[in-house]
Amino acid sequence: MDVIRITLHSDLCAGNGESRGNAVDTDIVLTAAGLPRIPARRLKGCLRAAAGELAALGDEAAAYTVGDAMTESAVLVGDAALPQEAAFTAWLKQNPAWADHSRVEQLYTDVRGQTRLKDGVADDGSLRFTRVLGQYDPLDKTKALVFEAPVRLENASPEAVRLLEHCCAATRHMGTHRNRGLGNV
């Protein structure tokens, strides 16, 4: 099994489509232990968009397989997780002081507020809060966070494998608010 390695170059909001009441309007995917994940559907959507862009630029393999290999079961992509997720989850189970996942969540994430401006003044009722995943590893602030997504290629043609490699290389942004400085990968 191969993996797609994703390195964060900015904070990320890979939204889960849910909110947390009045506290967070746009939330991210977190495991039961509070560790961040990038959902497979987000990753596959970004790869499919990259294939479309490559096809528009004249990549023959992308033009041929964008409707086939990336949407059929020849290429199976899983959720992207931290490489150390299993070890960290086991450690959390051994340390009851960390049983509350919100402590882990606070290590990796931050909540940002934003509002819409109208003539330089905040528009009433427009304040929204977004949970973002920090770019750096909270245990080593000199290292960017890295995620790994398992990939299984079942009877994939060489063209489909080449397309997947090109799509991975062409994917530079993912997640919500990527046009506002989030999600550079």
Side-chain angles (χ1 to χ4, degrees), residues 59-62 64-65 69 156-166:
D59 186 315
E60 291 177 17
Y64 174 72
T65 60
S157 67
E159 292 83 14
V161 173
R162 185 176 82 70
L163 174 61
L164 179 61
E165 291 170 349
H166 285 207

Side-chain angles (χ1 to χ4, degrees), residues 11-15 26-28 42 130-133 175-177 182-183:
D11 294 348
L12 172 71
C13 180
T26 305
D27 211 350
I28 63 173
R42 171 80 61 182
T130 302
R131 183 176 314 279
V132 297
L133 172 61
T176 308
H177 303 301
L182 295 179

Side-chain angles (χ1 to χ4, degrees), residues 1 8 18-19 22 66 72 80 92 98-99 101 105 109 118-119 124-125 132-133 139 155 162 166 169 175 178 182-183:
M1 182 176 302
L8 299 187
E18 298 178 8
S19 66
N22 292 335
V66 69
E72 293 178 3
L92 290 169
W98 286 85
H101 71 81
E105 188 179 294
T109 69
K118 187 174 183 179
D119 298 325
D124 286 340
V132 297
L133 172 61
L139 306 176
N155 302 321
R162 185 176 82 70
H166 285 207
R178 57 184 170 263
L182 295 179

Side-chain angles (χ1 to χ4, degrees), residues 85-97:
E85 180 181 295
F88 197 26
T89 301
W91 182 88
L92 290 169
K93 288 179 182 177
Q94 301 282 331
N95 293 278

Side-chain angles (χ1 to χ4, degrees), residues 29-40:
V29 175
L30 298 168
T31 66
L35 295 170
R37 285 234 173 142
I38 300 172

Side-chain angles (χ1 to χ4, degrees), residues 93-115:
K93 288 179 182 177
Q94 301 282 331
N95 293 278
W98 286 85
D100 179 12
H101 71 81
S102 65
R103 290 186 69 189
V104 177
E105 188 179 294
Q106 290 173 5
L107 280 175
Y108 286 94
T109 69
D110 190 23
V111 177
R112 294 185 184 170
Q114 66 185 40
T115 188

